[in-house]
Amino acid sequence: MKSGDTTLHLFNYYFTSHPKDLTPLNVKELSKSIQGLKYVYNDILVTAVPIIKPGDTLKYTQIDPQKISSLTIIDKLALLKQAIAPIYAHATTRNFEMPALKTLEYNLIIKQGKQYFKISQPVLVVYNLICNNMIYFPNQFKDGILTASDKYSKGYNMGDFKEIADETKNAFIWKELENRTYLSETVRNNPFNLKIFSYWEFLNADVESIKLNPAVLKQYHPGLGSFDLLPKVGIVNCTMDYYLTGKILFNQKSRFKIMTVNGKTPQSFGKLYQPERSNEIKAVE
């Protein structure tokens, strides 16, 4: 993806055992998902985004294949388990200190043919669960729980929340609205010509503390910012406001133009898209 002098690459690891349809959130079944892919009831999405500063490009170094075994490699099952533990906590509890659904702890290795390349830039990794929940506002919106359904979801923006706060004149309401990921809109008019769901992170005032220790991410620190989801594929666009501009912004429109999805233009991908083939989709550039 490109916007002016800024480029972005998204890598999605999408775990599903329901190739075509989304399912309602089921925390009992969610806890079983750590046993393997065939036990995954709700879709689990892990998105990795190298942080490429404006004016820079993706940088990587080639790795000798014989040295791969000396690295600590996380396989698919381990990655699934890493994601489910914090997602389960967010699905079942709501406290001020919650386990982070985002991290800068991992590096990313790309395999092209028989060659391996290690990304040189820091990589933001974010965990999400995708479902078609029907829960009353605002409890259908939780960090890491993305409801992707026209039938069960209404879009919200910051103006809506200011209006709610003004009407209720209750400071506690604002606290209840914070620390959730909200749907902003469903978009059909896009390069894919497919239904895309747009979300944004509403973080609390402690989000500013990332500037004190940017290497260790807390849950109230920035993640993808505002982002677009194509169900059964993954995140296909995002703003990454803080990591690219140093600004903490809410409910933004993405300024990036999608160039390719697995080497195909968005238009071509949209025509070929089949949810049951979503495990073949790994990269958006």
Side-chain angles (χ1 to χ4, degrees):
M1 300 189 296
K2 289 188 69 67
S3 175
D5 65 347
T6 307
T7 60
L8 210 57
H9 301 256
L10 307 180
F11 297 86
N12 292 296
Y13 300 84
Y14 201 109
F15 299 91
T16 182
S17 57
H18 301 272
K20 293 184 179 181
D21 301 313
L22 294 175
T23 52
L25 175 64
N26 187 319
V27 292
K28 183 178 180 180
E29 294 296 328
L30 177 60
S31 63
K32 297 178 183 178
S33 299
I34 60 173
Q35 300 177 50
L37 185 58
K38 69 178 182 178
Y39 296 96
V40 172
Y41 181 79
N42 294 123
D43 293 4
I44 304 295
L45 173 62
V46 180
T47 303
V49 190
I51 300 173
I52 306 171
K53 295 298 183 182
D56 206 352
T57 58
L58 186 68
K59 288 184 167 54
Y60 45 84
T61 55
Q62 188 168 354
I63 301 176
D64 186 336
Q66 295 182 347
K67 295 183 179 180
I68 291 292
S69 59
S70 66
L71 301 175
T72 303
I73 303 295
I74 299 177
D75 62 23
K76 292 179 181 178
L77 180 58
L79 185 62
L80 179 63
K81 290 180 178 180
Q82 291 275 41
I84 286 173
I87 287 174
Y88 182 85
H90 283 265
T92 55
T93 57
R94 179 168 164 80
N95 298 313
F96 176 76
E97 284 288 344
M98 294 293 291
L101 292 161
K102 60 206 77 167
T103 181
L104 294 169
E105 296 177 354
Y106 301 117
N107 295 122
L108 189 62
I109 295 175
I110 300 173
K111 182 181 180 183
Q112 293 185 340
K114 295 183 179 180
Q115 296 180 316
Y116 294 86
F117 300 90
K118 178 179 175 292
I119 301 299
S120 302
Q121 284 107 334
V123 178
L124 175 67
V125 175
V126 179
Y127 309 130
N128 281 296
L129 178 149
I130 319 299
C131 61
N132 65 350
N133 245 18
M134 183 175 65
I135 306 176
Y136 294 109
F137 174 84
N139 289 326
Q140 76 267 45
F141 300 106
K142 299 174 181 283
D143 276 341
I145 311 295
L146 305 180
T147 295
S149 169
D150 282 336
K151 185 177 180 181
Y152 300 141
S153 294
K154 176 184 180 300
Y156 293 90
N157 57 47
M158 186 63 79
D160 295 324
F161 298 156
K162 290 179 179 178
E163 197 173 301
I164 292 171
D166 288 343
E167 288 178 355
T168 58
K169 301 190 183 304
N170 186 335
F172 179 74
I173 293 295
W174 195 259
K175 293 294 183 184
E176 275 299 298
L177 294 173
E178 292 176 327
N179 300 319
R180 302 180 191 268
T181 301
Y182 289 95
L183 178 74
S184 60
E185 60 180 339
T186 303
V187 181
R188 185 66 193 237
N189 184 19
N190 58 69
F192 296 99
N193 196 30
L194 298 168
K195 190 180 295 181
I196 287 178
F197 296 84
S198 296
Y199 301 87
W200 59 287
E201 303 165 335
F202 186 19
L203 308 169
N204 67 45
D206 285 332
V207 64
E208 298 284 348
S209 65
I210 189 175
K211 297 173 182 177
L212 302 176
N213 189 2
V216 180
L217 296 186
K218 302 290 187 180
Q219 182 51 29
Y220 45 77
H221 287 161
L224 298 172
S226 302
F227 57 93
D228 297 337
L229 169 75
L230 180 56
K232 302 299 178 181
V233 171
I235 307 301
V236 294
N237 212 331
C238 63
T239 58
M240 294 280 287
D241 303 303
Y242 175 77
Y243 300 100
L244 299 181
T245 68
K247 298 177 181 178
I248 296 169
L249 304 171
F250 301 129
N251 197 197
Q252 301 294 301
K253 293 281 189 181
S254 179
R255 57 193 173 91
F256 287 96
K257 179 180 179 181
I258 302 172
M259 309 304 291
T260 63
V261 181
N262 272 19
K264 297 180 176 63
T265 66
Q267 294 82 358
S268 297
F269 177 81
K271 294 176 181 178
L272 296 171
Y273 168 72
Q274 297 175 20
E276 58 268 30
R277 296 180 57 198
S278 60
N279 63 328
E280 299 175 16
I281 309 303
K282 299 180 176 66
V284 178
E285 299 180 340

